[in-house]
Amino acid sequence: MKPMRKLTIVAALICSMITWAQQTPALAQKGAFTIMNATAHIGDGSVIENSIIVVEEGKITTIADATTVKMQPKGRVINAEGQHVYPGIIAMNATLGLVEVDAVKASDDEREIGTYNPHVRSVIAYNAESRVVESMRPNGVLMAQIVPRGGRISGKSSVVQLDAWNWEDASLLTDEGVHINWPSSFRRTGSWYNPGPIEPSKDYEKQVRELTDFVNNAKAYNATESKTGLNLKYAALNDAINGKQTVYFHVDGEKGIRDVLNFINKNGIQRPVLVGAREADKVAKTLVAMKVPVLAGRTHSLPSAEDEDFDLPYKFPKMLADKGVLVALENSGDMERHQTRNFPFLAGTVAGYGMDMEEALKLITLNPAKILGIDDKYGSLEEGKMATLFISKGNALEMMGNVLTHAFIDGREISLDSHQTELYERYMEKYGLEVKR
């Protein structure tokens, strides 16, 4: 090979590596900064129309009405007049960083082989340099619950912030919950192009019994002081059984939900959460009495039955919230990783179908933080909490208004660039159009 040709190939490879590289994570906050004159959406349902927010050492030290509190700004001043400040959005039940390209097997690490995998830890497979993860931040999605998929027990989820060098730096809450995929009590016959009727699943009772036996065996194993050998799978369920970890039940349908609630009672599950939970509104009183939160399934979806209202997915979270259930949103399904950037608009859709806009904001900020147990640090704009927030030119829950100018994770100002913004600028320049950021 000629030297010049070798040099050209090396240069091309270097350019390719640079093109694929993620932005360098932001440095720790140095010095205070103050956000002035913005409309602050606190995240707990309240709003401060003309606010002053002071951030020092990564935390909010002051948030108040600028018209009534007389104080001088500290450090750098960001004049956000006419703009809006929101707490960072938390994407629940996401697989960000576990798969980069579905068709490339080497980049797919969202599930493990086998049926019962409570010992699997999603966080160690999390790719902090994922370009998909990077594309969440321009829409205000700054944190995520990373969840494994597959099997009857998928494994353990963790909470990460979306601007980090590696999974250790990204982790906010490690191994916070175990995920159980409850058996389906019904199955759809036919094919995708010619669906048949829905009928009861013949294996449902058998599958429930197998899951029950596995949990009972794990309880017996962990209660035994003199163990003959190490069983990683049984040992991994110990914290969930003892109430130190949350147990997430991925379940749909009234019968399945009632059976899950019965399972929770019989096995003394102290921190249960339902995920998806279609038809949970039919057992809302029981959910409230048992204090079981719900991660409502994807808002941007079609009704699952012919006799359901066309707008049921849009109003389902409000139906639960109105009955007193603690509700947050999740977005699992087709193209779920890339669709995670739509979390603010899922809440916006719920607001468009009857819920107050500030209550809808809670579905993706404070309520997820409460379910995860991190509401003492995240989920709302309050003094003493971490400064994980963003500034938007308009209503962040609406597509036209969600235009971010600044974003911060623990007080660090992060990049809002991504592969999509680079392409946008490239082609706007190509056609001689003004770049609007």
Side-chain angles (χ1 to χ4, degrees):
M1 185 180 291
K2 295 180 180 181
M4 183 58 71
R5 187 177 179 186
K6 288 183 179 178
L7 184 61
T8 302
I9 292 174
V10 171
L13 287 172
I14 292 173
C15 290
S16 175
M17 291 172 66
I18 293 173
T19 301
W20 277 87
Q22 187 194 40
Q23 289 90 17
T24 301
L27 298 173
Q29 181 186 355
K30 292 183 179 179
F33 68 86
T34 304
I35 302 172
M36 293 291 300
N37 307 317
T39 298
H41 302 262
I42 305 303
D44 61 359
S46 61
V47 176
I48 301 176
E49 295 293 344
N50 189 353
S51 65
I52 176 171
I53 303 173
V54 180
V55 176
E56 300 176 83
E57 298 182 354
K59 294 184 178 181
I60 299 172
T61 56
T62 299
I63 179 165
D65 188 334
T67 62
T68 60
V69 175
K70 304 301 180 183
M71 64 175 293
Q72 294 297 317
K74 292 185 179 181
R76 171 192 172 197
V77 177
I78 301 173
N79 185 3
E81 185 175 1
Q83 300 186 58
H84 302 257
V85 181
Y86 294 88
I89 292 168
I90 305 172
M92 297 293 286
N93 189 30
T95 52
L96 290 172
L98 299 183
V99 183
E100 194 68 7
V101 181
D102 287 294
V104 179
K105 187 176 181 180
S107 74
D108 188 335
D109 205 7
E110 70 175 352
R111 66 186 65 215
E112 192 57 80
I113 296 171
T115 305
Y116 293 92
N117 296 306
H119 60 302
V120 169
R121 305 174 66 218
S122 63
V123 71
I124 62 174
Y126 174 72
N127 176 18
E129 294 188 335
S130 166
R131 300 184 79 183
V132 182
V133 169
E134 184 180 84
S135 67
M136 301 299 112
R137 303 193 305 245
N139 279 15
V141 180
L142 306 182
M143 293 173 285
Q145 180 196 38
I146 307 304
V147 180
R149 297 283 187 252
R152 184 64 61 218
I153 301 182
S154 304
K156 296 183 179 181
S157 58
S158 294
V159 183
V160 299
Q161 52 89 1
L162 305 186
D163 182 65
W165 287 101
N166 48 51
W167 70 263
E168 292 98 333
D169 292 342
S171 295
L172 297 176
L173 189 62
T174 304
D175 301 334
E176 52 82 27
V178 174
H179 291 257
I180 296 177
N181 297 302
W182 192 259
S184 177
S185 58
F186 291 86
R187 70 182 188 93
R188 187 180 293 277
T189 60
S191 60
W192 66 269
Y193 59 86
N194 186 26
I198 297 176
E199 59 184 33
S201 174
K202 297 178 181 179
D203 297 327
Y204 178 70
E205 297 298 336
K206 175 184 175 183
Q207 292 169 345
V208 172
R209 187 164 56 252
E210 289 175 351
L211 174 60
T212 302
D213 289 343
F214 185 88
V215 172
N216 287 335
N217 289 339
K219 291 166 70 175
Y221 171 85
N222 288 301
T224 303
E225 294 184 3
S226 56
K227 300 177 177 63
T228 57
L230 176 63
N231 188 313
L232 289 176
K233 296 186 177 185
Y234 289 162
L237 275 182
N238 189 44
D239 285 345
I241 292 169
N242 293 330
K244 296 179 181 179
Q245 289 178 339
T246 303
V247 182
Y248 296 87
F249 292 91
H250 298 243
V251 60
D252 282 311
E254 182 181 357
K255 174 174 172 49
I257 292 172
R258 290 189 182 279
D259 288 345
V260 165
L261 296 178
N262 184 48
F263 181 90
I264 290 169
N265 282 325
K266 283 187 175 182
N267 290 279
I269 305 297
Q270 299 176 39
R271 294 170 56 183
V273 175
L274 303 187
V275 182
R278 180 175 53 82
E279 297 188 350
D281 55 301
K282 297 179 181 179
V283 293
K285 289 184 178 180
T286 306
L287 295 176
V288 173
M290 294 177 61
K291 298 182 180 179
V292 179
V294 170
L295 301 183
R298 179 181 288 182
T299 301
H300 293 174
S301 61
L302 297 173
S304 58
E306 293 181 356
D307 58 348
E308 288 182 352
D309 293 345
F310 78 93
D311 56 358
L312 181 60
Y314 312 148
K315 61 187 181 182
F316 178 63
K318 182 179 185 298
M319 292 166 61
L320 292 176
D322 287 348
K323 294 180 180 181
V325 179
L326 177 60
V327 187
L329 301 185
E330 64 100 10
N331 193 46
S332 59
D334 294 338
M335 297 292 290
E336 63 180 82
R337 282 167 295 284
H338 301 79
Q339 294 285 353
T340 300
R341 67 169 66 92
N342 288 332
F343 253 85
F345 313 133
L346 301 182
T349 299
V350 177
Y353 280 79
M355 181 174 275
D356 175 78
M357 191 68 74
E358 301 306 320
E359 290 298 312
L361 177 63
K362 291 167 63 174
L363 300 176
I364 53 175
T365 55
L366 188 56
N367 287 3
K370 287 181 177 180
I371 292 171
L372 294 169
I374 59 173
D375 54 305
D376 59 328
K377 294 183 178 180
Y378 300 97
S380 59
L381 304 177
E382 299 179 59
E383 293 180 5
K385 289 193 175 184
M386 304 305 295
T388 298
L389 51 88
F390 63 90
I391 304 173
S392 175
K393 290 184 177 180
N395 184 347
L397 305 192
E398 296 178 352
M399 291 186 182
M400 295 297 289
N402 186 293
V403 181
L404 271 63
T405 59
H406 302 77
F408 303 87
I409 294 179
D410 294 349
R412 300 179 297 116
E413 184 166 12
I414 65 173
S415 170
L416 293 175
D417 291 328
S418 69
H419 183 56
Q420 282 74 21
T421 60
E422 290 173 4
L423 289 174
Y424 164 73
E425 292 177 357
R426 176 183 176 187
Y427 284 98
M428 291 293 279
E429 181 180 350
K430 175 182 178 180
Y431 292 106
L433 301 174
E434 180 186 357
V435 173
K436 297 179 180 180
R437 293 288 296 275

